[in-house]
Amino acid sequence: SALFPYTMPGKGKKGGKGGGKGGGGGGGNNKKKQEEEDDDLLLLAAAAAANQTAAETSTSSTENSAALFDMVPGYNAQAVGPSEKVKELIAAAEKAGEPLKQTEGEPIIPVRLLYPEKDFPEGQIMEHPLECNAYRFGSEEKRHLDRMNVDLQQEIRLAAEVHRQTRQWVQSWVKPGIPMIEITNKLEAKLRELIEKNGLQAGQAFPTGASLNHVAAHWTPNTGDTTVLGEDDVCKIDFGTHINGHIIDCAWTLAFNPMFDGLKEAVADATNTGIKEAGIDVRLGDIGAAIQEAMESHEVELHGRTYQVKSVRNLNGHSIAPYRIHAGKSVPIIKTQDQTKMEEGEFFAIETFGSTGKAYVREDGECSHYMKKFDAPDNVAIRNTKSKQLLRHINQNYDTMAFCRKWLDQSGETRHLMGLKGLVETGVVEPYPPLCDIKGSYVAQYEHTILLRPTCKEVLSRGDDY
């Protein structure tokens, strides 16, 4: 997903710039090995500390989330209204006495209109692992708790169905030779159409990640970017949808050269393993161990050389809360000693990254992704007029969800650079530069959002495609 936690060496929290010094000449191999071991220790310690903090504050987080639900106005997509073409299709279906169906080829009917009874498609249902959870599926008490959350489930399933229809449409036409900015713009326009974009109530949850090859995450083209999708590119398409801040975070890897099939299969296997192992009372470190074992059991041959596919050790899955893409818990994709447990009612993005490189990412390149800090104080002194104006725009259009520079340009904020710089310097907005492995390597990604219901585990974003 966009804006998930990662840890850089020498930093105690996500997003820290810099890092350990690179290995130099003479004796560099031993020094480099020691630095990598030190980095691993820092990563494990930081992840464990973050998850411990999340566990200690789980009660207050739940209370805050409940309060946030109450503050959010009800989803009212009707205020936007369907297009004239959609109105004609609705009238034709009513006249024929038939249910409204999505158009073939390109979907143009907002998903909400296809399900007048709000019976949006349920995701993949799986039982929770562990013997202590065996009673849940048939428990009347747990079924009652499930029924109490029906409104929430309807909203998140609507967001999931929009994601499925949007991505499957993109898969039908995307091909080499298309500029990346055209791909992302078309995807985002279709998403807005199918979800009936409506302020902070319904829309895209974060910018479309379209990271290529050795770039693992956090890249989308800025205005004027001329990058074109190539025949031999490995492209991670990662985007999110939301209804009332309830986020679906889901990604897949796009590659046209068959030599990358093995890499894609390895990462899809690792993600599905993480999904299978996840559940109420499961320790996060155990999930990471299972993911790493699955990932690193695969080898791929690229350009006549064999590579073991490795889990990118400083990237993680994460818990999700309303309007908060990372809610505090990190799901490692390597073996750790983290004893933090998943809990009933939580949402998680289970995502894995497999690499043919060092399997370690660092910040590099021009930044496109930004996000207002979830806990940013309201009384920060901002003296720059442009920064004040831009912050008002951010609060009205994105709040604490991520945005990108291209979106600011498209909304008329074409001279935003100095204002954005001021917000970053005051600590109100956080930049999220591209995360990169070594050049020449390839990174693949797969991701799904799951809900730990009282009775079962629901893979909300599962589709026929992956």
Side-chain angles (χ1 to χ4, degrees):
S1 74
L3 313 159
F4 43 78
Y6 67 101
T7 309
M8 304 301 284
K11 297 290 181 179
K13 60 181 182 179
K14 66 177 177 133
K17 272 194 174 184
K21 295 179 181 178
N29 288 340
N30 290 334
K31 180 179 179 182
K32 181 179 178 183
K33 182 178 180 181
Q34 183 60 49
E35 285 177 346
E36 289 181 348
E37 291 176 353
D38 290 345
D39 288 354
D40 284 342
L41 291 173
L42 283 167
L43 289 167
L44 297 179
N51 283 331
Q52 180 62 29
T53 300
E56 291 172 352
T57 60
S58 61
T59 301
S60 60
S61 296
T62 301
E63 292 172 351
N64 290 338
S65 296
L68 186 57
F69 290 144
D70 293 338
M71 291 162 52
V72 175
Y75 177 52
N76 183 22
Q78 289 98 324
V80 180
S83 67
E84 290 303 316
K85 177 62 176 176
V86 171
K87 288 180 181 178
E88 292 176 6
L89 293 172
I90 294 172
E94 290 177 348
K95 185 176 181 180
E98 298 176 351
L100 186 64
K101 295 181 179 180
Q102 187 57 276
T103 50
E104 295 184 6
E106 179 179 356
I108 66 169
I109 300 174
V111 171
R112 174 186 60 86
L113 301 178
L114 301 172
Y115 300 92
E117 302 300 321
K118 297 184 178 180
D119 52 341
F120 303 107
E122 193 174 49
Q124 180 188 15
I125 300 301
M126 305 174 71
E127 291 190 21
H128 290 290
L130 303 182
E131 188 176 344
C132 64
N133 289 319
Y135 76 99
R136 288 180 172 274
F137 203 78
S139 168
E140 184 54 40
E141 177 189 356
K142 296 302 181 183
R143 288 176 182 271
H144 175 69
L145 289 174
D146 238 354
R147 290 191 291 270
M148 290 176 62
N149 292 316
V150 64
D151 290 341
L152 167 61
Q153 292 172 9
Q154 288 172 342
E155 289 187 345
I156 197 67
R157 287 172 186 158
L158 169 55
E161 182 62 18
V162 170
H163 197 288
R164 275 188 291 272
Q165 292 194 20
T166 301
R167 74 185 190 231
Q168 289 172 6
W169 174 70
V170 171
Q171 291 163 8
S172 73
W173 56 260
V174 68
K175 61 183 180 179
I178 304 177
M180 298 305 297
I181 199 159
E182 180 180 336
I183 294 171
T184 56
N185 282 348
K186 287 181 68 174
L187 183 155
E188 291 165 2
K190 182 56 61 180
L191 187 159
R192 291 192 297 270
E193 179 183 7
L194 295 182
I195 207 166
E196 300 170 289
K197 164 68 176 171
N198 188 14
L200 293 173
Q201 294 175 305
Q204 189 161 351
F206 52 82
T208 305
S211 304
L212 298 171
N213 304 324
H214 72 288
V215 182
H218 294 180
W219 184 85
T220 199
N222 286 326
T223 302
D225 188 284
T226 58
T227 304
V228 175
L229 181 62
E231 184 76 39
D232 293 326
D233 282 336
V234 174
C235 179
K236 283 72 66 181
I237 302 292
D238 184 354
F239 69 96
T241 55
H242 84 94
I243 299 294
N244 283 334
H246 304 310
I247 298 171
I248 288 292
D249 186 357
C250 186
W252 83 98
T253 294
L254 183 69
F256 302 95
N257 191 324
M259 74 173 174
F260 296 116
D261 288 351
L263 177 61
K264 292 165 57 180
E265 289 167 5
V267 183
D269 180 28
T271 296
N272 286 327
T273 297
I275 292 169
K276 179 182 177 182
E277 296 295 323
I280 295 169
D281 288 334
V282 175
R283 290 180 171 84
L284 298 177
D286 293 341
I287 299 173
I291 287 173
Q292 184 175 22
E293 182 179 0
M295 181 83 77
E296 300 184 358
S297 68
H298 291 264
E299 290 183 342
V300 296
E301 184 177 333
L302 302 175
H303 306 294
R305 180 178 173 184
T306 300
Y307 298 86
Q308 180 187 27
V309 182
K310 296 181 180 179
S311 291
V312 179
R313 63 186 189 272
N314 59 332
L315 294 179
N316 310 279
H318 49 93
S319 56
I320 304 174
Y323 295 97
R324 193 173 191 179
I325 189 62
H326 187 282
K329 291 184 179 180
S330 297
V331 185
I333 62 175
I334 59 172
K335 182 180 180 180
T336 75
Q337 300 303 314
D338 192 344
Q339 300 298 301
T340 308
K341 293 182 178 181
M342 290 182 162
E343 299 175 62
E344 182 179 300
E346 289 183 317
F347 290 86
F348 281 93
I350 304 297
E351 62 180 324
T352 72
F353 295 81
S355 175
T356 63
K358 290 186 175 180
Y360 188 87
V361 294
R362 298 182 185 275
E363 295 176 344
D364 187 33
E366 183 180 39
C367 188
S368 57
H369 286 54
Y370 294 83
M371 186 166 66
K372 178 185 169 185
K373 291 183 178 178
F374 192 83
D375 56 356
D378 296 328
N379 58 351
V380 176
I382 300 175
R383 297 179 181 178
N384 184 285
T385 302
K386 290 185 177 179
S387 293
K388 287 182 179 179
Q389 293 174 345
L390 184 59
L391 182 58
R392 282 196 292 270
H393 176 82
I394 292 169
N395 287 336
Q396 292 171 0
N397 292 277
Y398 318 115
D399 195 26
T400 54
M401 292 185 291
F403 60 93
C404 58
R405 291 186 57 196
K406 180 184 69 171
W407 289 358
L408 295 178
D409 291 329
Q410 292 171 348
S411 63
E413 298 288 337
T414 55
R415 297 184 178 182
H416 61 259
L417 199 55
M418 291 305 296
L420 189 57
K421 183 174 181 289
L423 293 176
V424 170
E425 290 175 347
T426 57
V428 175
V429 168
E430 186 87 19
Y432 291 85
L435 301 177
C436 306
D437 203 330
I438 57 172
K439 290 184 178 180
S441 65
Y442 296 95
V443 180
Q445 173 198 14
Y446 279 90
E447 176 181 24
H448 278 295
T449 296
I450 65 172
L451 169 59
L452 303 184
R453 290 167 49 185
T455 55
C456 62
K457 169 176 52 184
E458 183 172 351
V459 188
L460 293 158
S461 50
R462 182 72 79 191
D464 295 335
D465 48 352
Y466 64 90

